[in-house]
Amino acid sequence: MTGPIMFAGAPYSGMTPMIVTAAEIARRGHEVHFVGIERYRGEFDHHTAGTGAQYISLGAGESPADPEGWDDATYFSFTQRSRWKSALAFITHNLDVDLQIEWYKKLDAEVERVKPALLVVDCLSQHAIDVAMTRGIPYVIKACLMPSFVMQPWLPRGYPWPYSGLPAEMTFGQRVANSWFKFRMKTVMFRPKVFPRAVKYAKAVRELGINAKSMQPRARIDNAALVMFHTVLDLEYDFPKPDNVVSVGSIAPPLPELPDEKDISSWLDAHESVVYLAFGTINRLSTESIGQMLQAARRLAPHALLWKIPKDQWENRPAGVEVPDNVRVEHWVPSQFDVLAHPNVKVFFCHAGSNGMHECLNFGKPMVSRPGWIDCHDIAHRIDDAGMGLTLDDVHEVKADDVVDKLTRVLEDPSFTERAQHWTAKQRNAGGVTRAADLIIELAS
């Protein structure tokens, strides 16, 4: 008999794969509890309706990691040209010890109440790993990130260090830069703005009786029952992995996700070749870049462009510039899965986020990338090296010529679609949500 299974999601990292997996397990009749911030309750309720799965809220989740709270200075510190400075700014800004301890206490209380047989935790949920290791509860780490971002202690010498934005094949200068970046990242906790917070967290760990090994990256992996990646391991640059690492491929909800949505789907039906453009809610375009994008779209006709852009950004477009007839602008798309699944969508023009890349690969669509920040530069190299896309030459200021060049090449050269479909087949062969649920249920039995 399977005991209760508790999922612990990470704020602001995209919880769809976690929620879809929880829903699949609940549909099979198992007791499921999902702990997350309030913003994910609606998505959870949609996917788990009628299953009896329970949502446990950590509250509003007001955190420095929430992009909606970033002013322009903060955002641009994360997206500056220096990979090291952007990574340091991100770490410094988001290291909120008080919030981590608050979440730890709330989750610990719920674990005491529910007494789960297994914890399924997002790789970014440090508070959840703390609870699991301290209480000795078996746990599964689920990760939408690329494996190298999670398993840094296993990376060999010369490996392009996570967040460096460097490719597998490096010039001599890039190898030197990589070594220097790696050193600085491994010693980041000794930086003046970081060290006091690290000391504060270590003190809290002692006072609360948290297992100190939970602070060690290798121990977190070694003690996990499974480390489950929502990718195909072949997409990653190779490195040795322990035996508890598994790949289940990308995870998508049952489709169509919103079968009654007709507005966007009808527009897609009416256009034979569509580029879907979505840079996520984090990335911000300058007025000049929006103007350049509209110029590029006009030149791409007869191809059409469905552009998802937040309303506040769209209002920053150049004054007096008309929107071409082949462009449809949406401030919110009800289901990105349904859009990417549509046969008339030929290319995904994206910011090379991990979630977006894997969502796209469910449907064999190639990509053009404008990597926005932190890990996106690394992922863009994986997309290019896998033969399923191209990256803009200048990712900071969009240029119409560059956009037209990259999109035209990907639209007209069938090899990009063929390679994308190759990786889609591998993703599906990995088992997806069915295999993820099978493995989790087996561990909870």
Side-chain angles (χ1 to χ4, degrees):
M1 182 68 181
T2 302
I5 300 171
M6 180 175 280
F7 286 74
Y12 315 116
S13 73
M15 287 293 97
T16 298
M18 289 273 284
I19 290 171
V20 170
T21 304
E24 173 67 18
I25 292 171
R27 274 194 292 271
R28 299 185 190 185
H30 301 282
E31 182 181 347
V32 170
H33 303 262
F34 196 104
V35 184
I37 62 171
E38 194 62 30
R39 73 157 53 180
Y40 291 113
R41 183 188 290 274
E43 183 180 0
F44 177 86
D45 290 345
H46 171 75
H47 288 296
T48 62
T51 66
Q54 299 293 311
Y55 195 86
I56 302 169
S57 177
L58 288 174
E62 294 180 1
S63 162
D66 184 358
E68 292 182 2
W70 297 346
D71 58 23
D72 285 345
T74 299
Y75 168 77
F76 288 116
S77 72
F78 300 161
T79 57
Q80 58 189 296
R81 291 182 183 272
S82 168
R83 299 278 70 76
W84 159 245
K85 290 181 180 179
S86 63
L88 178 60
F90 186 74
I91 292 168
T92 302
H93 178 80
N94 293 331
L95 190 57
D96 189 328
V97 174
D98 292 333
L99 195 59
Q100 287 294 323
I101 296 304
E102 177 188 336
W103 286 335
Y104 171 84
K105 290 178 178 178
K106 288 182 178 180
L107 178 61
D108 191 57
E110 293 299 335
V111 167
E112 173 64 25
R113 180 180 66 85
V114 174
K115 294 180 171 51
L118 182 73
L119 270 171
V120 183
V121 305
D122 185 272
C123 65
L124 299 177
S125 297
Q126 177 62 44
H127 62 286
I129 297 175
D130 287 346
V131 170
M133 291 185 66
T134 301
R135 286 183 170 267
I137 301 171
Y139 64 97
V140 173
I141 296 176
K142 280 172 71 72
C144 291
L145 302 177
M146 297 302 290
S148 59
F149 302 165
V150 179
M151 306 184 65
Q152 295 178 15
W154 282 264
L155 302 184
R157 184 177 180 179
Y159 196 94
W161 203 251
Y163 314 115
S164 67
L166 292 169
E169 298 294 328
M170 290 182 273
T171 64
F172 174 76
Q174 287 175 322
R175 290 196 297 272
V176 172
N178 185 53
S179 296
W180 181 228
F181 184 91
K182 175 181 176 180
F183 171 78
R184 290 195 285 187
M185 286 296 288
K186 289 175 79 71
T187 58
V188 70
M189 286 302 171
F190 297 102
R191 291 279 163 173
K193 292 184 179 180
V194 178
F195 184 70
R197 302 184 209 185
V199 171
K200 182 178 180 180
Y201 186 71
K203 182 180 179 181
V205 165
R206 290 194 301 271
E207 291 175 348
L208 292 168
I210 297 172
N211 187 337
K213 287 187 177 180
S214 67
M215 299 174 65
Q216 303 171 12
R218 182 178 285 273
R220 291 196 291 267
I221 299 296
D222 286 340
N223 283 277
L226 280 179
V227 183
M228 184 182 293
F229 287 100
H230 303 158
T231 188
V232 176
L233 297 181
D234 292 352
L235 264 177
E236 177 64 281
Y237 302 145
D238 190 38
F239 65 91
K241 302 172 188 67
D243 293 338
N244 62 344
V245 170
V246 297
S247 166
V248 297
S250 58
I251 290 179
L255 297 179
E257 190 175 18
L258 298 174
D260 296 330
E261 194 284 316
K262 300 299 181 185
D263 188 25
I264 294 176
S265 61
S266 296
W267 185 86
L268 292 172
D269 290 341
H271 294 81
E272 185 177 341
S273 177
V274 177
V275 174
Y276 174 47
L277 167 56
F279 291 155
T281 57
I282 293 174
N283 289 278
R284 305 178 189 180
L285 288 172
S286 67
T287 299
E288 176 63 23
S289 289
I290 294 174
Q292 290 287 311
M293 198 73 75
L294 290 170
Q295 287 185 37
R298 184 176 291 106
R299 291 164 56 184
L300 284 166
H303 303 288
L305 188 143
L306 174 62
W307 188 357
K308 186 184 85 170
I309 180 171
K311 184 177 180 181
D312 59 339
Q313 288 189 44
W314 182 243
E315 290 174 347
N316 194 40
R317 66 189 182 278
V321 175
E322 293 185 2
V323 179
D325 292 338
N326 63 329
V327 174
R328 173 167 178 150
V329 173
E330 293 289 338
H331 302 313
W332 180 249
V333 170
S335 171
Q336 180 157 287
F337 285 102
D338 289 347
V339 169
L340 289 169
H342 197 284
N344 288 350
V345 173
K346 306 301 183 185
V347 176
F348 185 26
F349 191 4
C350 61
H351 67 290
S354 183
N355 283 308
M357 177 187 74
H358 290 110
E359 289 175 10
C360 183
L361 283 183
N362 279 287
F363 311 109
K365 307 297 173 69
M367 286 162 270
V368 170
S369 303
R370 176 191 174 260
W373 66 321
I374 313 298
D375 61 335
C376 299
H377 301 276
D378 306 70
I379 293 171
H381 284 301
R382 270 69 169 181
I383 292 170
D384 293 359
D385 291 347
M388 57 186 179
L390 296 171
T391 301
L392 296 185
D393 294 334
D394 186 346
V395 301
H396 294 277
E397 287 298 330
V398 175
K399 302 298 182 187
D401 287 347
D402 192 15
V403 171
V404 172
D405 172 57
K406 299 302 188 301
L407 283 174
T408 299
R409 287 164 61 186
V410 173
L411 284 163
E412 295 183 356
D413 184 344
S415 68
F416 291 104
T417 299
E418 290 166 3
R419 290 299 294 170
Q421 291 173 348
H422 164 83
W423 291 110
T424 295
K426 285 204 164 195
Q427 293 268 27
R428 293 179 178 173
N429 288 340
V433 67
T434 300
R435 183 164 179 244
D438 289 345
L439 292 169
I440 290 169
I441 291 168
E442 182 179 353
L443 287 170
S445 300

